[in-house]
Amino acid sequence: MSPACLLPVVAALFFLGTSEGCSPTEDWRPQTFPQRLVQAGIVVHARVLNKTETPNYEDRYPQTYAGTFEVYCVLKGGPLQHNITVVEMGELTTCHSTEVDIDEEYILLLARRDDNTFAPDEVNIQSAALPATQDNLAMVAETCGLPNFTLPLGSAGNPSNLTGCPVHPSQSGEPCVYVGTAAHVVISTTLTLLSCALSFLWLSV
């Protein structure tokens, strides 16, 4: 079987394996991070300062925890404070898990709570955290549908010089990248798998 056929098959098996113990709907399909970030209400680039017990799940610490974050850049959904608390992180259930490590930087999808804290916005039942590598920050910066990036409240400096804050397409002049919808990914993956199956059957004859 060709490498082009093997890739979607391996990806499908991977997502089936990681969803063990969960109960997503039959039509559930994985989405890319850019697809999920355009659906999230808040997106930040931040560094993990600390982990503590999270309210209502104290007996499950450190498996489930709250994280204190230093926000470097608000990519969507501001304004936000310079330091924020994100509750119910780690493995909340077998279907919901967003893991982070202290002193590491992440791009986070968040939802605001009534008590002025935040929770992971696990769009499509997938992790709300992505390591903030230069490649990942560039991928986010190039995604269509995001407003101008802003500094968190209580921080000083020039946004264009902020460490870790990517350059917005409106500043760089580069065209943004349209990520499409989950349906596009599903159709594309289904067609590829169908093509691979037909090729396999044809070679078996």
Side-chain angles (χ1 to χ4, degrees):
M1 188 178 292
S2 69
C5 290
L6 284 174
L7 182 59
V9 172
V10 172
L13 290 175
F14 171 78
F15 283 106
L16 284 173
T18 56
S19 62
E20 183 178 358
C22 295
S23 299
T25 59
E26 289 186 4
D27 60 349
W28 182 90
R29 296 294 185 277
Q31 295 180 12
T32 64
F33 194 81
Q35 287 175 321
R36 286 180 278 135
L37 74 87
V38 297
Q39 300 174 67
I42 300 171
V43 183
V44 300
H45 170 205
R47 181 172 69 92
V48 186
L49 299 178
N50 194 16
K51 294 181 182 181
T52 58
E53 294 179 352
T54 190
N56 302 319
Y57 294 92
E58 291 86 353
D59 59 333
R60 297 187 56 182
Y61 180 81
Q63 180 183 9
T64 305
Y65 50 87
T68 303
F69 291 83
E70 178 184 10
V71 178
Y72 289 154
C73 188
V74 183
L75 304 168
K76 180 183 180 183
L80 268 69
Q81 295 294 329
H82 187 240
N83 288 337
I84 62 173
T85 298
V86 181
V87 299
E88 298 179 5
M89 301 203 69
E91 186 175 336
L92 189 62
T93 69
T94 54
C95 287
H96 297 274
S97 179
T98 295
E99 296 283 358
V100 295
D101 295 319
I102 294 176
D103 288 330
E104 296 297 325
E105 298 177 22
Y106 296 89
I107 302 166
L108 294 170
L109 311 182
L110 302 175
R112 192 187 298 269
R113 306 286 287 266
D114 293 337
D115 58 358
N116 205 33
T117 60
F118 300 86
D121 191 355
E122 295 177 347
V123 176
N124 199 47
I125 323 178
Q126 292 177 255
S127 174
L130 181 72
T133 64
Q134 290 303 311
D135 286 344
N136 287 339
L137 285 168
M139 172 184 66
V140 170
E142 295 167 357
T143 302
C144 293
L146 297 182
N148 289 335
F149 310 137
T150 60
L151 285 167
L153 300 175
S155 61
N158 187 330
S160 63
N161 295 328
L162 183 64
T163 300
C165 202
V167 179
H168 195 274
S170 64
Q171 296 175 316
S172 65
E174 295 293 328
C176 64
V177 177
Y178 175 67
V179 298
T181 64
H184 295 157
V185 176
V186 172
I187 292 171
S188 176
T189 302
T190 302
L191 290 175
T192 303
L193 289 170
L194 181 60
S195 175
C196 291
L198 290 174
S199 296
F200 178 78
L201 292 173
W202 183 80
L203 291 173
S204 301
V205 175

